[in-house]
């Protein structure tokens, strides 16, 4: 009888073990089936901006490729941090994603009290696109490049005014540029970059720095003058404009558009999203549309993006501390 009980116990254990293994396999099967419902891409800015346009472009193609609806939802406010926090607190299942200008994620911790940690509560998926900044000046300012701007600033007897949203990537990049060239900007704070560019076109300020998407129409319309681009090499959308990096080695800034998910999202889901988005932005028709927006495709992997986020957060924290930068 004892041996029969032992036999039954072993059989019961075997059944239990089989059930546990089957249960352990369920998450893998669920990941293999991803996605099986609609995906949301949260844009933490109002409609019409670079992140919004890119999210809608990628979302349409992503939905067609993955055979599930992709809904783009704007959650603006707090310089992008309201929408980013919402995604950081969402379920890590791959169905709520964030597409944002990565400068908000890398500068934010140094200039604001955030209710989330971008480096710990968000995980990179991929960096689908990059758009450099243009350093632009009023049309009648007698300078053609940053060396001439620096010389003009030193000779004029008063600082060159520089319009920018405060505690933004454009303000920090402008400070770095001026320090490297031995002069100082008179920073004029604005609520948004569009207002600064409008005043620049009207001749009320001397200079500004903003994305190619925002500045190029005004440059091409003869309203303002581009004197430098912040890409590592000459940028196709701004032919003839010299790079800052040609005069200040390794000076590269801009609008890095990143796709992120809540921390803890399964690696298999992240890999599938990364591969799909990278295939989408590499297509000639999508690359052409990105060029029209003043951007170019990026193939930065999620591993490289995580390293980049760490390095950029450290880089801008130093600039913020050294220059006592305050948020609005």
């Amino acid at each position: 009888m004892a041996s029969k009980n032992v036999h039954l116990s072993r059989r019961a254990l075997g059944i239990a073990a089989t059930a546990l293994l089957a249960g352990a396999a369920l998450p893998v099967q669920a990941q293999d089936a991803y996605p099986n419902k609609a995906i949301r891409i949260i844009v933490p800015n109002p409609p019409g901006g670079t992140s919004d346009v890119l999210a809608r472009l990628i979302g349409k193609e992503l939905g067609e490729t993955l055979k599930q609806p992709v809904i783009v939802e704007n959650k603006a406010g707090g310089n992008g941090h309201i929408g980013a926090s919402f995604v950081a607190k969402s379920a890590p299942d791959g169905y709520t994603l964030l597409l944002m200008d990565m400068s908000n994620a890398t500068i934010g911790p140094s200039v604001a009290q955030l209710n989330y940690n971008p480096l710990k509560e968000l995980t990179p998926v991929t960096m689908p696109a990059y758009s450099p900044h243009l350093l632009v000046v009023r049309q009648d300012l007698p300078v053609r490049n940053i060396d001439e701007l620096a010389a003009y600033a030193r000779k004029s007897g008063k600082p060159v005014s520089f319009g920018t949203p405060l505690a933004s990537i454009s303000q920090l990049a402008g400070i770095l540029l001026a320090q490297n060239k031995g002069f100082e900007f008179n920073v004029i704070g604005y609520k948004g970059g569009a207002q600064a560019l409008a005043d620049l076109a009207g001749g009320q300020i001397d200079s500004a720095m903003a994305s190619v998407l925002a500045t190029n129409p005004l440059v091409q319309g003869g309203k303002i003058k581009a004197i430098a681009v912040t890409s590592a090499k000459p940028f196709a959308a701004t032919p003839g404009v010299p790079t800052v990096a040609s005069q200040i080695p390794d000076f590269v800034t801009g609008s890095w558009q990143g796709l992120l998910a809540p921390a803890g999202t399964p690696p298999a889901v992240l890999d599938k999203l990364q591969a799909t988005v990278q295939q989408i932005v590499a297509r000639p028709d999508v690359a052409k549309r990105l060029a029209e927006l003043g951007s170019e495709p990026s193939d930065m992997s999620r591993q490289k993006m995580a390293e980049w986020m760490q390095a950029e957060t450290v880089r801008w924290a130093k600039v913020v501390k050294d220059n006592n930068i305050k948020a609005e």
Side-chain angles (χ1 to χ4, degrees):
M1 188 70 176
S3 107
K4 184 176 180 182
N5 286 339
V6 170
H7 176 73
L8 286 173
S9 297
R10 286 175 179 166
R11 186 174 173 217
L13 284 170
I15 292 170
T18 302
L20 284 171
L21 288 171
L26 286 177
V28 176
Q29 292 167 0
Q31 291 170 32
D32 288 344
Y34 174 86
N36 55 27
K37 62 179 181 179
I39 297 169
R40 280 194 302 174
I41 299 179
I42 304 299
V43 175
N45 311 102
T50 304
S51 297
D52 180 69
V53 173
L54 181 62
R56 294 179 191 282
L57 174 63
I58 289 176
K60 176 179 178 295
E61 302 297 333
L62 191 64
E64 292 177 0
T65 303
L66 297 180
K67 311 299 183 189
Q68 291 292 342
V70 176
I71 301 160
V72 175
E73 185 177 337
N74 299 88
K75 285 187 178 294
N79 202 24
H81 295 299
I82 289 177
S85 175
F86 175 84
V87 174
K89 310 298 183 187
S90 297
D93 54 11
Y95 291 97
T96 304
L97 306 174
L98 174 70
L99 200 150
M100 71 184 299
D101 186 329
M102 293 304 298
S103 65
N104 291 334
T106 56
I107 294 172
S110 299
V111 298
Q113 291 292 325
L114 305 181
N115 67 347
Y116 74 106
N117 185 322
L119 293 176
K120 293 182 178 179
E121 296 182 65
L122 292 170
T123 190
V125 176
T126 188
M127 192 90 79
Y130 162 71
S131 177
H133 292 140
L134 275 181
L135 178 60
V136 286
V137 299
R138 56 183 168 84
Q139 189 62 251
D140 61 344
L141 201 72
V143 302
R144 295 167 296 175
N145 54 54
I146 56 176
D147 276 342
E148 292 184 2
L149 176 64
Y152 174 85
R154 287 191 292 265
K155 287 190 307 182
S156 68
K158 62 178 183 177
V160 172
S161 57
F162 180 79
T164 176
L166 297 179
S168 68
I169 182 67
S170 59
Q171 182 189 7
L172 301 189
I175 287 171
L176 269 186
L177 185 149
Q179 288 175 346
N180 270 280
K181 301 305 290 184
F183 72 99
E184 185 176 347
F185 279 126
N186 175 27
V187 174
I188 309 296
Y190 284 84
K191 291 291 186 184
Q195 296 170 318
L197 291 173
D199 278 1
L200 180 62
Q204 294 158 279
I205 58 174
D206 298 320
S207 65
M209 185 181 286
S211 70
V212 171
L213 174 69
T215 52
N216 232 13
L218 293 170
V219 172
Q220 293 171 349
K223 303 292 186 184
I224 58 178
K225 183 166 50 177
I227 63 170
V229 62
T230 65
S231 50
K233 58 184 187 295
F235 196 66
T238 59
V241 179
T243 65
V244 177
S246 66
Q247 298 182 48
I248 304 174
D250 301 321
F251 191 106
V252 178
T253 67
S255 176
W256 300 88
Q257 296 294 325
L259 186 66
L260 304 106
T265 301
V269 171
L270 297 173
D271 287 342
K272 187 169 189 176
L273 285 167
Q274 173 183 273
T276 306
V277 172
Q278 287 183 345
Q279 288 167 7
I280 288 169
V281 298
R283 282 175 21 200
D285 59 324
V286 177
K288 181 175 182 292
R289 178 64 180 136
L290 289 175
E292 291 168 354
L293 295 171
S295 299
E296 63 183 13
S298 168
D299 60 358
M300 190 185 294
S301 69
R302 61 189 182 90
Q303 291 82 5
K304 289 291 185 185
M305 187 175 163
E307 294 170 6
W308 179 90
M309 284 179 67
Q310 290 277 359
E312 287 289 287
T313 300
V314 172
R315 175 193 186 190
W316 296 120
K318 184 177 187 308
V319 177
V320 168
K321 182 179 179 181
D322 290 349
N323 295 277
N324 195 29
I325 302 297
K326 303 293 184 184
E328 293 184 49

